[in-house]
Amino acid sequence: LQAATYGLVAMDDDRHAVRYALGGEHGGAETDRIWTYEADADAIIRIRFAPDGTIERISCSSPAAEPDSCPELYGIGIGETEDAIGGHLGAPSDIRIVGDRKYIGYNSIGATYVLQKFVVTGLVRDPHRGSFSGKAWKFLRSLIYLPGSIG
């Protein structure tokens, strides 16, 4: 499995294509590596660009775990249960609990699911993902930071 797109953007899109698909209001400078969009009242999309200007990583989170607030990632969406992830994708490559969040990672497909209280609240698409180091986890947490959460 390799998803070439996530929502309205393709993983090899550049800043121009992202601006076209998601709009110009991204809460940062044009040259920033991370752009943040408020998809609606319940979802935040963060896009990280690689040095060559193409998308490196996409995350979408919904603090209220509102279903359909973010596009599904490999058949798993916001509001799904932890059991649904395992039932659909099998055993994960990585599991880590940090604070009140659980991160379930699938290296082979470049996907990470973020859960709170056994429910998916965040999705991360990163096709370049391998095993996580401490720095990678810190960066991942920064991508899905939610206002009012403990960073």
Side-chain angles (χ1 to χ4, degrees), residues 24-44:
E25 298 298 319
H26 53 75
E30 288 299 304
T31 56
D32 286 351
R33 287 198 63 199
I34 298 175
W35 286 4
T36 302
Y37 290 90
E38 289 186 25
D40 59 36
D42 296 312
I44 298 168

Side-chain angles (χ1 to χ4, degrees), residues 54-79:
T54 60
I55 294 175
E56 179 176 77
R57 178 175 292 149
I58 300 172
S59 69
C60 186
S61 59
S62 172
E66 289 294 324
D68 300 322
S69 56
C70 295
E72 288 185 350
L73 183 58
Y74 295 107
I76 301 295
I78 299 293

Side-chain angles (χ1 to χ4, degrees), residues 2 7 12 15 19 28 32-33 36 39-40 44 49-51 55 66 84-85 87 99 103 105 107 115 136 138 149-150:
Q2 288 297 325
D12 60 352
R15 286 177 171 85
R19 189 179 313 104
D32 286 351
R33 287 198 63 199
T36 302
D40 59 36
I44 298 168
F49 294 97
I55 294 175
E66 289 294 324
I85 298 171
Y103 300 85
N107 292 342
L115 296 93
K138 190 172 187 178
S149 68
I150 298 173

Side-chain angles (χ1 to χ4, degrees), residues 82-104:
E82 186 171 344
D83 290 339
I85 298 171
H88 189 70
L89 297 174
S93 348
D94 296 301
I95 296 176
R96 191 169 296 198
I97 298 174
V98 179
D100 65 346
R101 293 194 178 108
K102 186 175 195 175
Y103 300 85
I104 299 177

Side-chain angles (χ1 to χ4, degrees), residues 20 27 35 38-39 44 62 71 80 103 108 110 114 120 123 135 143:
Y20 173 74
W35 286 4
E38 289 186 25
I44 298 168
S62 172
E80 298 274 353
Y103 300 85
S108 62
V114 183
V120 175
L123 309 165
K135 286 183 182 178
L143 279 181

